[in-house]
Amino acid sequence: GQNIDQPTEMTATEGAIVQINCTYQTSGFNGLFWYQQHAGEAPTFLSYNVLDGLEEKGRFSSFLSRSKGYSYLLLKELQMKDSASYLCAPYENYGGSQGNLIFGKGTKLSVKP
Amino acid sequence: DTGVSQDPRHKITKRGQNVTFRCDPISEHNRLYWYRQTLGQGPEFLTYFQNEAQLEKSRLLSDRFSAERPKGSFSTLEIQRTEQGDSAMYLCASSLVGIAGVSDTQYFGPGTRLTVL
């Protein structure tokens, strides 16, 4: 079965740090993606974790614990333009080269001045 | 622009009509995905192709939906006898998957917003 849980909404202040958590249960897990989606636009790729640990990319970092079925996205030095939905998406592998992304409902982040 | 493109961007139709959407992936990408997204939800997987072969279809894809990728390049998604519940954003994504089939980064197009009246 597939179950992805992330907070529905979060609010943070410009310049602050925010952590968006995601827990998941999938079969055939083969990595986890985070996407950013501004209202009315398509999702854009932020990060990919396949091994345990922290991946840092500028102001954004993503962490994965495979044994705990847990990931988080860390956003530093928040800017107003970071107001968007953040989608947690484990990759489910069916076997061989077949598989696809399973998206959570997303966390809507509002950055206030 | 060499990203994923979709056409049309918006479509308004009456219930019972057929609609067809087109997706042009990034040129060297061999995988093409279709998703549907409604307000407040994440994208829901519909189907995907590797080259011209349709490898997976979600149970969400009723028999009114059909997708093709005849030459392994662009793809079309057709919805027959549209219903109001079909109103959603239809997203296309593409990726490049090697022989090992490792997890692929999917790049999304801008989507086609369908409104069924």
Side-chain angles (χ1 to χ4, degrees):
Chain A
Q2 305 152 0
N3 187 29
I4 301 161
D5 191 34
Q6 51 181 129
T8 303
E9 293 186 25
M10 297 182 72
T11 302
T13 305
E14 193 175 15
I17 299 173
V18 70
Q19 178 174 312
I20 302 174
N21 296 322
C22 172
T23 58
Y24 63 88
Q25 290 178 308
T26 63
S27 53
F29 177 82
N30 196 8
L32 187 142
F33 290 78
W34 283 93
Y35 281 81
Q36 179 191 60
Q37 187 175 28
H38 286 98
E41 298 182 11
T44 55
F45 170 74
L46 287 179
S47 68
Y48 169 58
N49 294 66
V50 64
L51 300 176
D52 285 358
L54 187 68
E55 294 278 344
E56 297 187 73
K57 191 186 294 185
R59 294 190 299 114
F60 292 6
S61 303
S62 55
F63 172 84
L64 177 66
S65 169
R66 295 174 68 121
S67 61
K68 295 182 180 178
Y70 168 68
S71 174
Y72 67 73
L73 181 69
L74 191 72
L75 292 77
K76 303 176 186 175
E77 302 169 17
L78 281 173
Q79 302 175 10
M80 299 297 290
K81 67 177 182 180
D82 297 330
S83 293
S85 286
Y86 291 86
L87 302 166
C88 171
Y91 188 94
E92 185 175 69
N93 186 277
Y94 305 145
S97 63
Q98 297 195 37
N100 63 59
L101 291 176
I102 310 298
F103 283 90
K105 293 184 178 181
T107 297
K108 185 178 179 181
L109 175 66
S110 298
V111 180
K112 308 290 186 187
Chain B
D1 190 316
T2 57
V4 179
S5 61
Q6 293 186 244
D7 183 69
R9 296 291 304 276
H10 303 273
K11 179 70 178 178
I12 299 174
T13 191
K14 293 182 179 179
R15 189 176 55 185
Q17 298 294 304
N18 299 344
V19 294
T20 301
F21 311 142
R22 177 180 170 122
C23 171
D24 286 87
I26 294 171
S27 59
E28 65 268 24
H29 283 184
N30 52 7
R31 274 210 185 157
L32 187 150
Y33 298 77
W34 285 100
Y35 293 86
R36 179 173 68 188
Q37 186 175 26
T38 53
L39 198 62
Q41 303 293 316
E44 295 175 298
F45 168 76
L46 293 178
T47 187
Y48 84 88
F49 294 82
Q50 178 138 338
N51 301 313
E52 64 275 7
Q54 190 172 18
L55 296 186
E56 181 71 18
K57 290 194 291 187
S58 165
R59 56 183 166 77
L60 293 175
L61 210 67
S62 76
D63 56 5
R64 297 185 298 106
F65 288 69
S66 62
E68 294 183 343
R69 195 183 183 198
K71 297 182 180 179
S73 56
F74 74 91
S75 175
T76 57
L77 177 69
E78 181 183 17
I79 309 174
Q80 295 182 328
R81 305 180 304 280
T82 52
E83 302 173 356
Q84 288 184 325
D86 297 332
S87 294
M89 175 77 88
Y90 289 84
L91 293 164
C92 174
S94 72
S95 68
L96 181 62
V97 177
I99 295 173
V102 296
S103 300
D104 49 340
T105 298
Q106 296 181 25
Y107 296 91
F108 284 81
T112 295
R113 182 168 295 283
L114 173 66
T115 302
V116 182
L117 302 175

